[in-house]
Amino acid sequence: MTVRTRFAPSPTGYLHLGGLRTALYTYLFAKQNNGKFILRIEDTDQEREVEGAVELIYKSLRQAGLDYDEGPDVGGDFGPYIQTQRRDLYMPYAMQLVESGAAYPCFCTKEELQERRDAATQKGEQWKYDKHCLNLSKEEAKRRMASGEPFVIRQNIPLTGTASFEDALYGHVEAPCDTLDDNVLIKADGLPTYNFANVIDDHLMGITHVMRGTEYLSSTPKYNLLYKALGWDAPIYIHLSPVMKDASRKLSKRYGDPSFEDLLAQGYVKDAIINFIALLGWCPDVKKYGDQEFFSMQDLIEAFSLDGLSKSPAIFNTEKLVWFNHEYISKMPFDEYLAMATPWFDKVLKGKISDYRRLAELMHTRTEVFDRVPDMVRFLAELPEYDIDIYTHKKMKTDPEISLKALKLARPALEAIDDFSEDNLKEALMTLAQQNEMKTGQMMWPVRIAISGLASTPGGATEIAYLIGKEETLRRIDKGIEKLS
Ligand code: GLU
């Protein structure tokens, strides 16, 4: 048996992180088993469709490195892979179910349904469809369908007994039939609902393993009834616990939680996101991997296992993601860092600082998330307002008085340097400290404060002075002298 898995998003917006995780696990499982990973677009609920969302799904999956073997824009033997393009394919199966009694056409109008629903609610009853149209004779139903009257096709759930399925993670799941509703399988517009399309398409596309969120756990017994009615084997189901923002709510775009695209735009690196997401609800085998935390995509393909999936919800911990991101950035090749950092430097330094390479050296291991970079380097373009308190540093043995002395000494010494290189700067300032019986820190700290306006900076006095250049350095030293005088 060739393993075939699918990711089946509805094009309702950005790829959210729960969706990305489903896609990732689905991909990993297929690759690990030398199987096929398929993308199917579930767009039968056209009202919820968002323009551009389909293209975004393609783009996001590629950016994430989750290349699908079959899908709308790559083709394959089981297409089309967009459900609205499969529209004519569903009705014959629905009719087959109608013939066998597992489904039936329903002509109830919205108003009629509303009336009966209201009546049930008033009596304090839980409404589910009352099988009203099941009472129509086959002839009448056929006549009305042929006449062009609007109708839907509903699943005919047995009145008694139970419906069930086996989940690879949750085990035996069952529901009493009398709690299940006769869901619509084909809507009045002729398109199938998810409830029907997922069954038909998973079967026709030869899907062997279905991974999806636990929100489908309770309706899967119903889908199993459809498989049985059609005489098909159901796929193996693996329902995945939700990704939560905190103990009480799921991660959701509606509350401003970031999508995959948002994270990329904020300057999280793809590999860090993937590593982090993989561990949200899945744990590598401790015997084999100990407490290993870093996994490349290839590592994940090897390490992934259904046994490691957790049934309890996973909490999205932003700090942990930031930690991963920092680690990945620190370990990336320098030139890659420089290329990624450049647009972020440009936001505040364009035309003001020229040696990005040197700046990148100072920033490389200090960068946690790229969108924090502009704030960290902005002081190079413009001296921030600062309080003279920061000239005081116990360990450096500095205070405003010593600092004023240091700056006054440094001013002419710096002015005298022709080649404003870091080596020359260092040499000049160290010599100056020595000659005046000051500790190195008593010279370096005040100079760094004066030219940065910040208590902590990437790089020290000489690196900063070199980056901003002689003229700006002297201007800032003068400003410091003025402030301290
Ligand atoms: N279209 C469904 C969704 O986006 C997919 C569920 C499934 O994978 O079967 O939630």
Side-chain angles (χ1 to χ4, degrees), residues 6 8-10 42 194 212 216:
R6 89 299 192 274
S10 303
E42 302 206 323
Y194 171 79
R212 63 183 170 209
Y216 295 98

Side-chain angles (χ1 to χ4, degrees), residues 164-176:
S164 65
F165 76 100
E166 304 303 317
D167 187 272
L169 200 56
Y170 290 84
H172 183 75
V173 179
E174 69 171 32

Side-chain angles (χ1 to χ4, degrees), residues 44-105:
T44 61
D45 189 351
Q46 301 243 279
E47 276 164 34
R48 287 178 59 224
E49 179 152 358
V50 170
E51 217 192 297
V54 173
E55 286 68 31
L56 217 99
I57 291 168
Y58 303 157
K59 184 175 153 205
S60 296
L61 289 177
R62 293 215 168 90
Q63 281 175 320
L66 306 178
D67 291 317
Y68 33 96
D69 302 295
E70 297 170 27
D73 58 338
V74 299
D77 295 339
F78 298 78
Y81 294 90
I82 297 185
Q83 285 182 328
T84 49
Q85 293 174 11
R86 300 169 68 78
R87 121 180 258 137
D88 298 336
L89 194 142
Y90 303 102
M91 194 55 120
Y93 293 105
M95 283 316 192
Q96 187 184 325
L97 291 174
V98 169
E99 279 308 312
S100 71
Y104 59 96

